[in-house]
């Protein structure tokens, strides 16, 4: 970043020379413009300070995280030991059954089912005795 040529105080205390010939610049207009520049410098300086503090905070957080990572990497890792050797088991072929087509249930199918249930519960003669 380039160095700032003027500070807020330098701009505020700047006095312009008067021209001997001609009218020159309106001092009120120049002062108004310079006041706006001073405000901008103040805003920029505040923003720079804020960003520098944020950078410092993030660098500290990064360093802390890196130290935690190094500490975790230095810890011994548990090793899993199995008591039995691993044996390859041949895979059984997978049988996929094709789904049966769904048939619509009609009133006649329901009547047949009820009749079969009545025969099973009441016997073969129950349908004739009624």
């Amino acid at each position: 970043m380039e160095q700032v040529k003027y500070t807020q105080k330098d701009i505020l205390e700047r006095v312009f020379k008067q021209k001997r010939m001609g009218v020159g610049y309106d001092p009120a207009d120049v002062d108004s413009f310079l006041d706006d520049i001073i405000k901008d410098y103040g805003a920029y300086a505040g923003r720079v300070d804020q960003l520098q503090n944020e950078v410092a905070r993030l660098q500290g957080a990064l360093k802390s995280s890196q130290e935690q990572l190094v500490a975790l990497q230095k810890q011994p890792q548990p090793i899993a030991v199995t008591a039995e050797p691993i044996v390859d088991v041949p895979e059984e072929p997978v049988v996929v059954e094709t789904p049966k087509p769904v048939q619509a249930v009609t009133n006649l199918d329901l009547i047949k089912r009820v009749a079969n249930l009545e025969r099973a519960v009441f016997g073969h003669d129950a349908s004739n005795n009624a």
Side-chain angles (χ1 to χ4, degrees):
M1 188 169 140
E2 293 182 28
Q3 293 293 327
V4 177
K5 189 170 184 180
Y6 298 109
T7 65
Q8 290 174 325
K9 186 176 179 183
D10 293 337
I11 296 171
L12 181 62
E13 294 175 353
R14 176 72 188 248
V15 177
F16 292 95
K17 298 176 185 176
Q18 295 288 330
K19 281 185 156 186
R20 292 186 183 179
M21 296 188 160
V23 178
Y25 295 109
D26 180 20
D29 188 34
V30 173
D31 287 342
S32 172
F33 179 72
L34 293 178
D35 288 341
D36 291 342
I37 291 176
I38 290 171
K39 289 176 187 174
D40 288 348
Y41 263 78
Y44 289 135
R47 183 71 176 146
V48 166
D49 288 342
Q50 178 187 5
L51 292 174
Q52 285 175 341
N53 291 336
E54 182 74 10
V55 166
R57 184 186 66 79
L58 291 173
Q59 285 175 340
L62 176 64
K63 185 177 180 182
S64 172
S65 296
Q66 288 173 338
E67 289 170 355
Q68 288 177 356
L69 179 63
V70 168
L72 287 174
Q73 288 175 342
K74 288 183 180 180
Q75 289 180 352
Q77 300 295 323
I79 299 174
V81 179
T82 58
E84 299 176 12
I86 298 174
V87 179
D88 261 350
V89 178
E91 293 184 21
E92 296 179 12
V94 177
V95 178
V96 178
E97 295 182 16
T98 57
K100 296 179 182 178
V102 178
Q103 296 177 352
V105 178
T106 63
N107 288 340
L108 182 61
D109 293 332
L110 291 175
I111 292 172
K112 286 181 183 179
R113 287 182 184 176
V114 170
N116 288 337
L117 286 172
E118 284 178 348
R119 274 188 236 128
V121 173
F122 300 115
H124 294 289
D125 296 333
S127 59
N128 296 334
N129 290 341

